[in-house]
Amino acid sequence: MQMILKIKTPDQKGLIAEITRVIFEFNLNILKNDEFVDKENNLFFMRSEMEGDCSIKSLQKAIRALLSPQANIEVFEAKRKKIVILCTKENHCLGDLLIRYDSGELNADILAVVSNYTLLEPLCQKFNLPFICIPSENLTREEHETKVLKVLERFPSDYIVLAKYMRILSPNFVKRFEGKIINIHHSFLPAFIGANPYKQAYERGVKIIGATAHFVNNALDEGPIIYQDITKVNHAMSWKDMQKSGRDVEKIVLAKALNLALEEKIFVYNNKTIVF
Amino acid sequence: MQMILKIKTPDQKGLIAEITRVIFEFNLNILKNDEFVDKENNLFFMRSEMEGDCSIKSLQKAIRALLSPQANIEVFEAKRKKIVILCTKENHCLGDLLIRYDSGELNADILAVVSNYTLLEPLCQKFNLPFICIPSENLTREEHETKVLKVLERFPSDYIVLAKYMRILSPNFVKRFEGKIINIHHSFLPAFIGANPYKQAYERGVKIIGATAHFVNNALDEGPIIYQDITKVNHAMSWKDMQKSGRDVEKIVLAKALNLALEEKIFVYNNKTIVF
Amino acid sequence: MQMILKIKTPDQKGLIAEITRVIFEFNLNILKNDEFVDKENNLFFMRSEMEGDCSIKSLQKAIRALLSPQANIEVFEAKRKKIVILCTKENHCLGDLLIRYDSGELNADILAVVSNYTLLEPLCQKFNLPFICIPSENLTREEHETKVLKVLERFPSDYIVLAKYMRILSPNFVKRFEGKIINIHHSFLPAFIGANPYKQAYERGVKIIGATAHFVNNALDEGPIIYQDITKVNHAMSWKDMQKSGRDVEKIVLAKALNLALEEKIFVYNNKTIVF
Amino acid sequence: MQMILKIKTPDQKGLIAEITRVIFEFNLNILKNDEFVDKENNLFFMRSEMEGDCSIKSLQKAIRALLSPQANIEVFEAKRKKIVILCTKENHCLGDLLIRYDSGELNADILAVVSNYTLLEPLCQKFNLPFICIPSENLTREEHETKVLKVLERFPSDYIVLAKYMRILSPNFVKRFEGKIINIHHSFLPAFIGANPYKQAYERGVKIIGATAHFVNNALDEGPIIYQDITKVNHAMSWKDMQKSGRDVEKIVLAKALNLALEEKIFVYNNKTIVF
């Protein structure tokens, strides 16, 4: 059995020694171990990939006994996760995930795809995935989200992936899935927050555009950033050209960020991420 | 009507003036114009995107009359191209093209997919594309290629895209489609020519890996390079990790190179490319 | 003699033909030619590097006769430019330019270095450059700028390079040198406008930082962008670490942008740049 | 006192626990800790930055007692290193290090600069550094190296930095400074080994060029790679243009690699590096 241990706790001398001693006493082999000390906030972060056989509950209890009451400790079996994808009309992020899913590269099961339009239904059907269209016309934001929530309840998942889902989620919705919603924003945040970042980038005359995968929080495009990448642009490109080129960045950035989440390599903290 | 003019000719004073005068006399509007002078070899390259109505034959004749007999002149209507894809077992390059095809982003019709294995047949069927499997077992290279050639004759295309087709093509085959076969090599050429470049990269301990799209010529992995890109790697990555990360580069590099070819933006010359 | 021609004019059919015909009639050889049509605004941009002997005045007149009265036409001999550098305390951008100057790589004469601190005086003295310190203490912005202006009048230059000059220039000052002041901003604009962008980047938790070279206009950090580049950062880096890493980007970006300006490859237009 | 501990040892369960327990018993605070397990070769690597007061000898002895006899253990005080720079005619790598030295950014003392030409003497004199010219004319490789060695003996250093030193070192010379000589090669190794890589790159028609910093071993350009970076090129660039652009990459890559060495963040192993 492979397990993952994630700890966030006030820093103090001897922490690594004590924690790894317990791991050793449980007869576990550490496959990969990462630590980080945030000196500014005196916090210690640790993530261990371990192999062996033990009761996860007992291990957690033993580590809990070592650490400060403020410590945040997670131990779990490393296993295939479940995701639900939300999208709107663009197929590149969804399609990229589907192709990874089809080859087995994606280390997750896609339970369902939810969209406010029907456009991507045929694509999902090709891959035999439940596609649920929830049009937003004539609905308040609340009414629409209530319907989306019902679908998400039918398909309980580890992560909700916004693969170019062009609607803003309400604080209530977001709070319910804190740290579980991954969005791809089509700009190099914090540049060009909000609508049509490619048009904004074109108008500002930037020479580089980018994409940002982040966890969603209540402030639009201001959640903790997981991964970013960029591509060069020039004066000869229209904003449509930038959009076309940017889509290649978007899909790779989203896939990389999702993969980090699926491997439980991310700590969220102070609206930032620690990525091991 | 949109037309493209491509000229390669010995350089001399006044070339641009004369050529663009003819274009003007044919009442064409130049949408985009690019020139390049290779001083070392005294060669002039020009590519014009033009709009208007005229006889392509007459235009070609008029330009021919201006230039040296060694000049290479192509004029044609800018129209949607046809491609055939060859692949083996990996789905990422093929899948990426299929998703672009599905959204209409790919400016070409995929006529057929040919493979030496059946593994990718279900994927092609999802997109209703003819999939022709030509296994190579118990066949000489020549026999196998003869069968592939027959399929290519059934589906005459503008470009043949090797989307991780893991067989080496014979000189005869290549000669037949000179400048028409685009391959993606999974290394940053000329580093790691040949088999399993990711393993080679891992063993050499490089800190960056890449992918190279190139036209195929007779020397293995030595054809004219169209586009390259890279990604950073580190000591903690196995060669399988590098391969996984490299695949994201491969598919984007292949798509960008194919797009340049479809838009007729490439000149091949001296085993190099000029990309406008 | 090598000359450069730069034209910005309303687009119309036949422009390239007419302009290059005049160039041919003046018996000039075109070494490099670039055009761009901004369809949105129906504007045509052209830059030619030409070789030959002719009266620049006559050439300008002949081209002027062809074009719309709104056309902007510049013709000049390609020759070594003069620059003045303004800096404050950091030595990396200034030092980088000095090393390029020392080897002859920088295609410009550095006439003088002006600073509001004395810290970089010894560095400039090593390279025998006039160093003028104008402290800002006890001076209003206007008084300080008046003194700086006097120095700039003593050393008339083609470009003023802000090599980490940490003072904001007044609209009056900027207007006087429109399109002549190149600044390096230590962020990937438009992200992190204003003070201490590395601290802002650290606090936002971005995964990429950058630098932006731009012409200075009246709005802080909002002038036309010439060149940008980036580097990856991670959670383990403090803002000081980001600053250290970012400095390497800053100096290269500034040098590249300055080089583009020295080679007269930039058009400024609509608060954006066209870079050939 | 800040100390660094570097361990390379056959992997086994409980290593981290035991080592960090000893560190704790010596009352040291771990500031930064990194581990890596090479599963293929069953090797464990660990690097700790620690703070506290203790006898380094006793600490080393205590850790030695824990580990296999094959273990490689280094403990030392983190202190400012000494370097000697070898160069030939190009000033960009040397100049970059001098500017970093001048600001105090470079965490090392430059003891001397050795060159086979006098060209860079004035630059070194500006910074008051001993410059020793050892011309190679009329000398065998052995005679020349004997003279260089004498200088290196006069200036005992931690690292010898080849800042574009264009001579090949003999196996004898290299063996004497194993793991202590850092070279910058002006290509993206293993592409373009040997002379004039920019010309090779130009002739091959690559779209990306790079630079590689590596430790020197007996095989030309085949030592363990520390750091690499790249920049895009295109058909319009001559090999001289590529060289000019490449120099910006070279100097940054060399400085980054040197910095990693100065901070003792590199393990060399199997002709590869582990960089924490």
Side-chain angles (χ1 to χ4, degrees):
Chain A
M1 185 176 64
Q2 293 208 357
M3 278 160 288
I4 292 171
L5 165 67
K6 289 172 80 178
I7 294 172
K8 174 190 146 202
T9 186
D11 191 29
Q12 65 182 86
K13 250 185 224 177
L15 272 180
I16 304 176
E18 288 186 68
I19 297 165
T20 54
R21 179 183 50 77
V22 170
I23 293 172
F24 178 68
E25 286 168 5
F26 275 77
N27 202 26
L28 300 171
N29 191 23
I30 294 178
L31 301 172
K32 189 173 184 311
N33 203 52
D34 289 283
E35 305 109 26
F36 170 63
V37 178
D38 177 341
K39 283 155 207 156
E40 204 184 342
N41 297 290
N42 198 45
L43 280 168
F44 172 83
F45 297 85
M46 177 168 163
R47 178 188 180 276
S48 296
E49 290 179 22
M50 307 165 301
E51 200 168 31
D53 286 300
C54 77
S55 148
I56 281 180
K57 256 195 177 159
S58 312
L59 177 61
Q60 178 139 23
K61 210 174 141 192
I63 292 172
R64 167 64 65 206
L66 297 173
L67 301 179
S68 137
Q70 298 134 271
N72 203 332
I73 304 163
E74 295 175 88
V75 195
F76 42 81
E77 205 185 326
K79 61 180 177 188
R80 192 170 171 85
K81 298 273 197 305
K82 294 178 173 71
I83 65 172
V84 171
I85 299 174
L86 272 64
C87 56
T88 295
K89 286 179 170 180
E90 289 174 284
N91 85 337
H92 59 292
C93 286
L94 172 64
D96 187 65
L97 295 176
L98 293 178
I99 296 296
R100 291 174 199 268
Y101 182 55
D102 199 52
S103 70
E105 184 204 304
L106 187 73
N107 192 21
D109 291 318
I110 302 174
L111 304 186
V113 177
V114 182
S115 179
N116 47 333
Y117 285 86
T118 57
L119 201 72
L120 297 174
E121 182 162 22
L123 181 59
C124 290
Q125 282 172 340
K126 292 184 204 310
F127 293 86
N128 300 315
L129 288 175
F131 181 91
I132 298 98
C133 179
I134 307 174
S136 60
E137 271 149 40
N138 306 320
L139 296 182
T140 65
R141 178 173 312 280
E142 206 184 7
E143 289 166 348
H144 184 257
E145 281 192 352
T146 305
K147 291 186 166 205
V148 174
L149 271 173
K150 272 195 191 138
V151 176
L152 294 175
E153 276 161 16
R154 257 176 64 206
F155 298 100
S157 65
D158 297 292
Y159 289 103
I160 297 162
V161 181
L162 308 187
K164 304 287 289 179
Y165 181 63
M166 305 309 278
R167 291 181 60 81
I168 294 167
L169 300 171
S170 74
N172 268 344
F173 189 100
V174 170
K175 203 194 288 174
R176 188 133 166 200
F177 300 100
E178 216 195 317
K180 295 298 173 196
I181 310 176
I182 297 172
N183 183 45
I184 179 72
H185 181 75
H186 40 316
S187 92
F188 183 70
L189 287 175
F192 309 128
I193 284 173
N196 211 333
Y198 291 119
K199 213 162 182 177
Q200 290 184 59
Y202 170 79
E203 273 155 21
R204 180 61 188 89
V206 295
K207 302 301 184 186
I208 289 178
I209 57 171
T212 304
H214 61 96
F215 288 114
V216 176
N217 69 5
N218 284 330
L220 178 62
D221 302 334
E222 301 205 340
I225 293 171
I226 304 168
Y227 194 80
Q228 300 185 291
D229 209 351
I230 58 99
T231 192
K232 302 219 164 187
V233 294
N234 60 52
H235 66 267
M237 295 169 83
S238 67
W239 77 262
K240 289 269 182 191
D241 294 332
M242 291 185 186
Q243 182 184 48
K244 195 177 164 188
S245 184
R247 279 179 181 144
D248 286 350
V249 183
E250 290 170 26
K251 72 186 182 191
I252 302 296
V253 166
L254 178 59
K256 283 204 197 274
L258 175 58
N259 201 42
L260 290 168
L262 294 174
E263 294 183 352
E264 294 287 350
K265 290 190 164 171
I266 312 171
F267 288 80
V268 173
Y269 156 65
N270 256 5
N271 205 40
K272 299 200 266 188
T273 62
I274 290 163
V275 179
F276 283 131
Chain B
M1 184 175 64
Q2 293 209 355
M3 279 161 287
I4 292 170
L5 165 67
K6 289 172 80 180
I7 294 173
K8 175 191 146 200
T9 186
D11 191 28
Q12 65 182 86
K13 251 185 224 177
L15 273 180
I16 304 177
E18 289 186 67
I19 297 165
T20 53
R21 181 183 48 78
V22 170
I23 293 172
F24 180 67
E25 285 167 5
F26 274 76
N27 202 24
L28 300 170
N29 192 22
I30 295 179
L31 301 171
K32 190 175 184 308
N33 202 53
D34 289 283
E35 305 109 26
F36 170 62
V37 177
D38 177 342
K39 282 157 207 159
E40 206 185 341
N41 298 289
N42 198 44
L43 280 167
F44 172 84
F45 297 84
M46 177 168 163
R47 177 187 180 277
S48 296
E49 290 179 21
M50 307 165 302
E51 201 168 30
D53 285 301
C54 76
S55 149
I56 281 181
K57 256 196 178 157
S58 314
L59 177 62
Q60 179 140 22
K61 211 174 141 191
I63 292 173
R64 166 64 65 206
L66 296 174
L67 301 180
S68 138
Q70 297 134 274
N72 203 333
I73 303 162
E74 295 176 88
V75 195
F76 42 81
E77 204 186 327
K79 60 180 177 188
R80 194 171 169 84
K81 297 273 197 305
K82 294 178 173 71
I83 65 171
V84 170
I85 299 174
L86 271 65
C87 57
T88 295
K89 286 177 169 179
E90 288 174 283
N91 85 335
H92 60 292
C93 286
L94 173 64
D96 187 65
L97 294 176
L98 294 177
I99 296 297
R100 291 173 200 267
Y101 183 55
D102 199 51
S103 70
E105 183 203 305
L106 188 73
N107 191 21
D109 291 318
I110 302 174
L111 303 186
V113 177
V114 182
S115 178
N116 48 333
Y117 284 86
T118 57
L119 201 71
L120 297 174
E121 184 162 20
L123 180 59
C124 290
Q125 283 172 341
K126 289 183 205 312
F127 292 86
N128 299 316
L129 288 174
F131 180 92
I132 299 100
C133 180
I134 307 174
S136 59
E137 270 151 40
N138 306 320
L139 296 183
T140 63
R141 179 172 310 280
E142 205 185 8
E143 288 166 349
H144 185 258
E145 281 192 353
T146 304
K147 291 184 167 209
V148 174
L149 272 173
K150 273 196 191 137
V151 176
L152 294 176
E153 277 161 15
R154 258 176 64 205
F155 297 99
S157 65
D158 296 292
Y159 289 103
I160 297 163
V161 180
L162 309 187
K164 303 288 289 179
Y165 182 62
M166 304 310 278
R167 291 182 60 83
I168 294 167
L169 299 172
S170 74
N172 268 343
F173 188 100
V174 170
K175 205 193 288 172
R176 190 132 164 199
F177 300 100
E178 216 195 317
K180 295 297 172 197
I181 311 176
I182 297 172
N183 183 45
I184 179 72
H185 181 75
H186 39 315
S187 91
F188 183 69
L189 287 176
F192 311 128
I193 285 174
N196 212 332
Y198 291 119
K199 214 163 182 177
Q200 290 185 59
Y202 170 78
E203 273 154 21
R204 179 61 187 89
V206 294
K207 302 301 185 188
I208 289 178
I209 57 171
T212 304
H214 62 96
F215 288 114
V216 177
N217 68 4
N218 284 329
L220 178 62
D221 301 336
E222 302 206 339
I225 293 170
I226 304 168
Y227 194 80
Q228 301 186 289
D229 209 350
I230 58 98
T231 191
K232 302 221 164 187
V233 294
N234 60 52
H235 66 268
M237 294 169 85
S238 67
W239 76 262
K240 290 268 183 191
D241 294 333
M242 291 184 186
Q243 182 183 49
K244 196 178 162 187
S245 184
R247 279 178 181 145
D248 286 349
V249 183
E250 291 171 24
K251 71 185 181 191
I252 302 297
V253 166
L254 178 59
K256 283 202 196 274
L258 175 58
N259 201 42
L260 291 168
L262 294 175
E263 294 182 353
E264 293 288 349
K265 291 192 164 171
I266 312 171
F267 288 81
V268 174
Y269 157 65
N270 256 7
N271 204 41
K272 299 200 264 189
T273 62
I274 290 162
V275 180
F276 284 132
Chain C
M1 185 175 65
Q2 293 209 356
M3 278 161 289
I4 292 170
L5 165 67
K6 289 172 80 178
I7 294 172
K8 176 191 146 200
T9 187
D11 191 29
Q12 65 182 88
K13 252 187 221 177
L15 272 181
I16 305 176
E18 290 186 67
I19 297 165
T20 54
R21 179 181 51 76
V22 170
I23 293 172
F24 179 68
E25 285 167 6
F26 275 76
N27 201 27
L28 300 171
N29 191 23
I30 294 178
L31 302 171
K32 190 175 185 309
N33 203 52
D34 289 283
E35 305 109 27
F36 171 61
V37 177
D38 178 341
K39 282 157 208 157
E40 205 184 342
N41 297 289
N42 197 45
L43 280 167
F44 171 83
F45 297 85
M46 176 168 164
R47 178 189 179 277
S48 297
E49 291 180 22
M50 308 165 301
E51 201 168 30
D53 285 299
C54 76
S55 149
I56 281 181
K57 257 194 178 162
S58 313
L59 177 62
Q60 179 139 22
K61 212 175 138 189
I63 291 173
R64 166 65 64 206
L66 297 174
L67 301 180
S68 138
Q70 297 134 274
N72 202 332
I73 303 163
E74 294 175 89
V75 195
F76 43 80
E77 204 185 326
K79 60 180 178 188
R80 193 170 170 84
K81 297 274 198 306
K82 294 179 175 68
I83 65 171
V84 170
I85 299 174
L86 271 65
C87 57
T88 295
K89 286 178 169 179
E90 289 175 283
N91 85 335
H92 59 293
C93 287
L94 172 64
D96 188 64
L97 294 176
L98 293 177
I99 296 296
R100 291 174 199 267
Y101 183 54
D102 199 52
S103 70
E105 182 203 305
L106 188 73
N107 191 21
D109 290 319
I110 302 175
L111 304 185
V113 177
V114 182
S115 178
N116 47 333
Y117 284 88
T118 57
L119 201 72
L120 298 174
E121 182 162 23
L123 180 59
C124 290
Q125 283 173 340
K126 290 184 207 309
F127 292 86
N128 299 316
L129 287 174
F131 180 92
I132 299 98
C133 180
I134 307 175
S136 60
E137 271 150 40
N138 306 319
L139 297 182
T140 65
R141 179 172 310 279
E142 204 184 8
E143 288 165 347
H144 184 257
E145 280 192 353
T146 304
K147 290 186 166 207
V148 173
L149 271 174
K150 273 196 190 136
V151 175
L152 293 176
E153 276 160 18
R154 256 176 66 205
F155 297 100
S157 65
D158 296 291
Y159 288 103
I160 297 163
V161 181
L162 309 187
K164 304 289 287 179
Y165 182 63
M166 305 309 278
R167 289 181 61 81
I168 294 166
L169 300 171
S170 74
N172 267 345
F173 189 101
V174 169
K175 202 193 292 174
R176 190 134 164 196
F177 301 100
E178 216 195 316
K180 295 297 172 196
I181 311 176
I182 297 172
N183 183 44
I184 179 72
H185 182 75
H186 40 314
S187 92
F188 182 70
L189 288 176
F192 309 128
I193 285 173
N196 212 332
Y198 291 119
K199 213 163 181 176
Q200 290 184 60
Y202 170 78
E203 272 154 21
R204 180 61 188 89
V206 295
K207 301 302 184 187
I208 288 179
I209 57 171
T212 304
H214 62 96
F215 287 114
V216 176
N217 68 4
N218 283 330
L220 178 61
D221 302 333
E222 301 206 340
I225 293 170
I226 304 169
Y227 194 80
Q228 301 187 290
D229 208 351
I230 57 98
T231 192
K232 302 220 164 186
V233 294
N234 61 53
H235 66 268
M237 294 169 86
S238 67
W239 76 263
K240 290 267 184 192
D241 294 332
M242 291 185 186
Q243 182 184 48
K244 196 178 162 187
S245 185
R247 280 179 179 144
D248 286 349
V249 183
E250 292 171 24
K251 70 186 182 192
I252 302 297
V253 166
L254 178 59
K256 285 203 197 272
L258 175 57
N259 201 43
L260 291 168
L262 294 175
E263 296 182 351
E264 293 288 350
K265 291 192 163 168
I266 312 172
F267 288 80
V268 173
Y269 156 65
N270 256 3
N271 205 40
K272 300 200 264 188
T273 62
I274 290 162
V275 179
F276 284 132
Chain D
M1 186 175 65
Q2 293 209 355
M3 280 161 287
I4 292 171
L5 165 68
K6 290 173 79 178
I7 294 172
K8 175 191 146 199
T9 186
D11 191 28
Q12 65 182 85
K13 249 185 225 178
L15 273 181
I16 305 175
E18 289 186 69
I19 296 165
T20 53
R21 180 183 49 78
V22 170
I23 293 171
F24 180 67
E25 286 167 4
F26 274 76
N27 201 25
L28 300 171
N29 191 23
I30 294 178
L31 301 172
K32 189 175 187 308
N33 203 52
D34 290 283
E35 305 109 26
F36 170 62
V37 178
D38 177 343
K39 282 156 208 158
E40 204 184 343
N41 297 288
N42 198 46
L43 280 167
F44 172 83
F45 296 84
M46 176 168 164
R47 177 188 180 278
S48 296
E49 290 180 21
M50 307 165 301
E51 201 167 32
D53 286 300
C54 77
S55 149
I56 281 180
K57 255 194 176 160
S58 312
L59 177 62
Q60 179 140 23
K61 211 174 139 190
I63 292 173
R64 166 64 64 206
L66 296 174
L67 302 179
S68 137
Q70 297 133 275
N72 202 333
I73 303 162
E74 293 175 90
V75 196
F76 42 81
E77 205 185 326
K79 61 180 177 188
R80 194 171 168 84
K81 297 275 200 301
K82 294 179 174 70
I83 64 171
V84 171
I85 300 174
L86 272 64
C87 57
T88 295
K89 285 178 170 180
E90 289 175 282
N91 85 336
H92 60 291
C93 286
L94 172 64
D96 188 65
L97 295 176
L98 293 178
I99 296 296
R100 291 173 198 268
Y101 182 56
D102 199 52
S103 71
E105 183 204 306
L106 187 73
N107 192 20
D109 291 318
I110 302 175
L111 303 185
V113 177
V114 182
S115 178
N116 46 335
Y117 284 87
T118 57
L119 200 72
L120 298 174
E121 183 161 22
L123 181 59
C124 289
Q125 282 172 341
K126 290 185 206 307
F127 292 86
N128 298 316
L129 287 174
F131 180 92
I132 299 98
C133 179
I134 307 175
S136 60
E137 272 151 39
N138 305 320
L139 296 182
T140 64
R141 179 172 310 279
E142 204 184 9
E143 287 166 348
H144 185 256
E145 281 192 353
T146 304
K147 289 184 168 208
V148 173
L149 271 174
K150 272 195 191 138
V151 175
L152 294 176
E153 277 161 14
R154 257 175 67 205
F155 297 100
S157 65
D158 297 290
Y159 289 102
I160 297 163
V161 180
L162 308 188
K164 304 288 287 181
Y165 182 62
M166 304 309 279
R167 291 180 60 81
I168 294 167
L169 300 171
S170 74
N172 267 344
F173 189 101
V174 170
K175 202 193 289 172
R176 190 132 163 200
F177 300 99
E178 215 194 316
K180 294 297 173 197
I181 311 177
I182 297 171
N183 184 45
I184 179 71
H185 182 75
H186 39 315
S187 91
F188 183 71
L189 288 176
F192 310 128
I193 284 174
N196 212 333
Y198 290 119
K199 215 163 180 175
Q200 290 185 60
Y202 170 78
E203 273 154 21
R204 179 61 187 90
V206 294
K207 301 302 185 187
I208 289 178
I209 57 171
T212 304
H214 61 96
F215 288 114
V216 177
N217 68 5
N218 284 328
L220 178 61
D221 301 333
E222 302 204 341
I225 293 170
I226 304 168
Y227 194 79
Q228 300 186 292
D229 208 351
I230 58 98
T231 192
K232 302 220 164 185
V233 294
N234 61 51
H235 66 268
M237 294 168 85
S238 67
W239 76 262
K240 290 268 183 192
D241 294 332
M242 291 185 186
Q243 182 184 47
K244 196 178 161 187
S245 185
R247 279 178 181 144
D248 285 350
V249 183
E250 292 171 24
K251 71 187 182 192
I252 303 297
V253 166
L254 178 59
K256 283 203 197 273
L258 175 58
N259 201 42
L260 291 168
L262 294 175
E263 293 182 352
E264 294 288 351
K265 290 192 164 170
I266 312 171
F267 287 81
V268 174
Y269 156 64
N270 257 4
N271 204 42
K272 300 200 264 188
T273 61
I274 290 162
V275 179
F276 284 132

